[in-house]
Amino acid sequence: MDNGASSYRRFREDGDQNGLIEIIREYRDGLIFYLNGFVNNINTAEELAEETFVILGTKKPRDKGKGSFKTWLYTIGRNRALNYLKKNSRVVEVSVFECAELQADEETLEESYIKEEKKILLHRAISKLKPEYRQVLWLTYFEDFSNKQTAAVMKKSVHNIETLVYRARKALKNQLKLEGFEYEEL
Amino acid sequence: MKSYDETVNSVFEKIEEYNQNKIRRNKLVLKTVVPACCACLVLVATVLALGGEKPKTPIDTSTSSQKIYTGALVLGEMDGNQEGYGKGEALTGDPDGYVFPEGTSFPEGSSVSESTSETSTPQNEYIPYRPKIYLNQITQKAGAAKLHFGEDKYYSEEKNLEDLKEYFGKDFSKIDFIKDLLPNEFEFSDGVATKFYYEKSGKLVYDTAAFIYYKDEQSIRIFASKIGAPYDCIYKTEDDKTTKINGVDVLIGFEPTDDMKFGFVFAEFSHNGVNFRITMENVIAPIYFDAPDMMYKFVYNIIERPLQ
């Protein structure tokens, strides 16, 4: 699969539903984690990810081919998340039970998507940083996006992303230190 | 947290729901917009039908192509192309634009030449947009009983041209556009004057005036009256279909002769409280060929043109 572009083309132009199913299977979890960086609620992030796939299925937007399909998909997801935040600017309170459930969901997803123990710990430390740092670190460390791709998704300049990555890594190191971890790659 | 299959199902359910809503929306739009559009079209058509006559426009001699009939009559192009002659088309023998009642037909035509002469027409000539002309063939002529105004009950007054101008609001003795439309010099009959009859009480009972233009045997007559029919001879036609000329219903009739195409053409109409009959008689070919066309122009100018 070439980053999902050919699957999407099959779905969009030939009406092959398997194309969309392949995209959902390939990108759902990563997208949820990325969107969770915005809304900090794994269930809401899941809904937003689902909405992103629904947009692909209904509006069938055309991938302009400026970057990879994944970059484009994450950009659509990001716009959905920002719209959601604009409409739901009030802080949503959740019960203790709900909170525990959300945490359990996130842990399940971490285990299936991130797999490596070290990376799971890293992700948990990242989730305690501010939203902008969470997003940029997720894209660069977990999705292996280049600075250029990250800049495209986050609609910032490459220079801004470089600065942001530098500051986010510094903040993450401090966070890990606070929790008693050292991560060599940082 | 949903499994992959649950997410896939949920996504496709939402897509299906969206598509259903879209179909419903489209149907709703069709149900509301289409009737609304139809209503608008009907409204526009009604407005056009009731008041959509094209306004008069003076000829722009710099752009209009001129047509010359044999005999050197210069006519400007006709304005408008919805029915009858199209804009810029020559006035040829094509009977398109004329509508003949059943049982009648267009008289055989004579040759008409067309050129693009630079000869100009007067700047102030009004050439109307010409719709279909209904030509009613005269089937019978009937003389109406001559009115007799005995001196015991009535008295008369001679009216001169100034009086008639004041009475009818227009001076029909100075219709200069007639000369623009005719091939030869038609002269206004100098001696025209008319008698108005009144009851002893002073009530006006007869006010018919006749304005005559002639050239040898050819004549164009304009009869006018405010209080009655401006004639004493009735022309019965097959089918009294009228032609709308600038919103006025005009009955146009003709009587063909063996050698002169439209031997006789008349038009009857009422405008601004005045009843008119216009006749064209013995007008030689090729003018004869388009006598109904010329009649249309006369009527149009009388209705629309501000006369002196």
Side-chain angles (χ1 to χ4, degrees):
Chain A
M1 205 163 102
D2 57 347
N3 249 343
S6 62
S7 302
Y8 182 58
R9 207 176 305 122
R10 267 192 293 124
F11 169 73
R12 190 175 182 277
E13 291 169 14
D14 306 330
D16 181 4
Q17 294 193 339
N18 287 328
L20 188 58
I21 293 170
E22 284 169 15
I23 291 167
I24 293 170
R25 287 186 182 279
E26 179 73 19
Y27 295 113
R28 188 194 73 157
D29 293 348
L31 189 59
I32 290 172
F33 273 125
Y34 171 60
L35 298 178
N36 192 39
F38 288 88
V39 294
N40 208 18
N41 181 315
I42 202 73
N43 282 359
T44 305
E46 189 185 4
E47 282 171 24
L48 290 172
E50 212 172 283
E51 278 180 29
T52 306
F53 296 124
V54 171
I55 287 171
L56 293 187
T58 53
K59 307 267 170 73
K60 295 182 178 173
R62 189 180 285 275
D63 177 10
K64 291 172 186 168
K66 285 182 179 172
S68 71
F69 175 79
K70 191 176 178 180
T71 312
W72 180 65
L73 180 69
Y74 274 50
T75 309
I76 296 173
R78 174 184 182 271
N79 292 338
R80 293 301 307 162
L82 291 177
N83 279 346
Y84 172 84
L85 289 174
K86 205 185 280 180
K87 286 178 189 169
N88 301 275
S89 51
R90 286 183 306 141
V91 176
V92 180
E93 288 181 13
V94 291
S95 68
V96 177
F97 298 109
E98 249 184 301
C99 194
E101 201 178 306
L102 287 173
Q103 202 174 339
D105 278 346
E106 196 168 346
E107 283 171 7
T108 314
L109 197 62
E110 277 176 337
E111 283 165 16
S112 67
Y113 190 70
I114 305 174
K115 291 177 183 126
E116 289 175 51
E117 180 69 20
K118 265 188 178 177
K119 278 197 173 181
I120 290 173
L121 293 172
L122 193 63
H123 178 249
R124 286 181 187 167
I126 286 173
S127 65
K128 289 169 186 161
L129 302 177
K130 64 180 193 177
E132 219 171 23
Y133 291 171
R134 288 203 301 259
Q135 290 160 33
V136 77
L137 289 175
W138 174 259
L139 292 176
T140 50
Y141 284 103
F142 290 87
E143 298 292 353
D144 289 328
F145 276 24
S146 66
N147 283 350
K148 197 178 170 187
Q149 286 175 313
T150 307
V153 173
M154 294 182 71
K155 297 197 186 314
K156 288 181 185 290
S157 69
V158 175
H159 180 71
N160 277 349
I161 292 296
E162 284 169 356
T163 311
L164 202 58
V165 168
Y166 173 77
R167 287 178 187 164
R169 277 167 64 183
K170 207 172 169 185
L172 180 59
K173 264 187 186 173
N174 291 338
Q175 184 62 37
L176 287 169
K177 267 185 191 169
L178 276 176
E179 293 180 12
F181 297 105
E182 285 272 350
Y183 200 78
E184 291 168 2
E185 288 175 30
L186 286 172
Chain B
M1 188 82 199
K2 289 176 183 171
S3 68
Y4 284 118
D5 287 341
E6 284 172 333
T7 304
V8 167
N9 287 338
S10 176
V11 166
F12 279 100
E13 274 171 21
K14 284 178 181 171
I15 291 172
E16 182 61 25
E17 193 181 333
Y18 173 88
N19 289 336
Q20 291 297 328
N21 283 338
K22 196 176 173 184
I23 291 168
R24 223 173 292 136
R25 262 201 317 273
N26 288 346
K27 278 183 181 171
L28 189 70
V29 167
L30 277 176
K31 273 184 185 172
T32 53
V33 173
V34 172
C37 287
C38 289
C40 286
L41 280 174
V42 169
L43 190 68
V44 168
T46 310
V47 168
L48 286 175
L50 291 176
E53 293 282 345
K54 227 175 171 185
K56 62 197 176 189
T57 50
I59 284 181
D60 180 359
T61 50
S62 63
T63 57
S64 65
S65 62
Q66 307 294 326
K67 285 92 195 173
I68 290 191
Y69 280 66
T70 309
L73 168 66
V74 180
L75 293 173
E77 68 180 25
M78 300 201 75
D79 186 11
N81 56 6
Q82 292 174 27
E83 288 176 313
Y85 294 122
K87 189 173 185 177
E89 287 177 57
L91 297 175
T92 66
D94 188 344
D96 282 352
Y98 296 133
V99 179
F100 293 86
E102 277 185 22
T104 61
S105 60
F106 193 85
E108 288 296 312
S110 61
S111 64
V112 175
S113 65
E114 181 188 348
S115 86
T116 51
S117 164
E118 292 302 313
T119 313
S120 62
T121 50
Q123 285 285 342
N124 60 347
E125 182 183 348
Y126 286 88
I127 299 296
Y129 155 76
R130 203 205 73 183
K132 278 182 181 168
I133 293 176
Y134 282 98
L135 287 175
N136 302 276
Q137 189 166 342
I138 296 170
T139 55
Q140 198 185 341
K141 289 182 181 178
K146 186 79 178 172
L147 294 170
H148 177 71
F149 300 102
E151 287 185 6
D152 52 337
K153 290 185 180 176
Y154 304 92
Y155 68 93
S156 64
E157 266 183 24
E158 284 285 339
K159 300 288 180 186
N160 60 27
L161 291 173
E162 276 303 308
D163 296 329
L164 296 175
K165 179 184 174 184
E166 192 181 333
Y167 183 71
F168 290 112
K170 288 182 179 181
D171 187 350
F172 294 107
S173 69
K174 291 176 182 170
I175 304 179
D176 54 0
F177 66 82
I178 283 183
K179 289 177 184 173
D180 300 332
L181 296 172
L182 293 175
N184 303 308
E185 288 282 316
F186 270 61
E187 295 294 339
F188 179 67
S189 178
D190 286 331
V192 166
T194 192
K195 273 185 181 176
F196 280 15
Y197 286 89
Y198 299 82
E199 285 179 356
K200 294 284 185 188
S201 62
K203 185 187 173 189
L204 180 64
V205 291
Y206 185 83
D207 64 348
T208 296
F211 304 86
I212 305 169
Y213 293 80
Y214 68 92
K215 168 70 179 174
D216 302 325
E217 296 297 308
Q218 307 170 65
S219 70
I220 297 170
R221 297 161 195 261
I222 301 169
F223 299 92
S225 169
K226 280 187 175 180
I227 59 173
Y231 47 77
D232 54 11
C233 185
I234 299 164
Y235 304 123
K236 291 183 177 176
T237 57
E238 271 287 314
D239 194 347
D240 289 344
K241 281 193 174 175
T242 55
T243 301
K244 270 259 192 274
I245 301 179
N246 243 27
V248 178
D249 282 314
V250 181
L251 177 71
I252 300 177
F254 78 105
E255 187 181 48
T257 58
D258 293 337
D259 56 341
M260 292 170 71
K261 322 309 183 238
F262 294 103
F264 175 80
V265 182
F266 77 94
E268 291 171 2
F269 63 99
S270 295
H271 179 60
N272 281 351
V274 180
N275 304 310
F276 290 97
R277 169 182 274 184
I278 301 170
T279 64
M280 293 173 67
E281 207 169 357
N282 296 329
V283 178
I284 56 168
I287 284 304
Y288 243 96
F289 187 78
D290 267 316
D293 218 4
M294 290 192 58
M295 183 59 87
Y296 179 88
K297 287 180 168 68
F298 275 124
V299 174
Y300 184 93
N301 278 275
I302 287 172
I303 292 170
E304 277 305 305
R305 191 162 177 165
L307 304 176
Q308 297 83 358

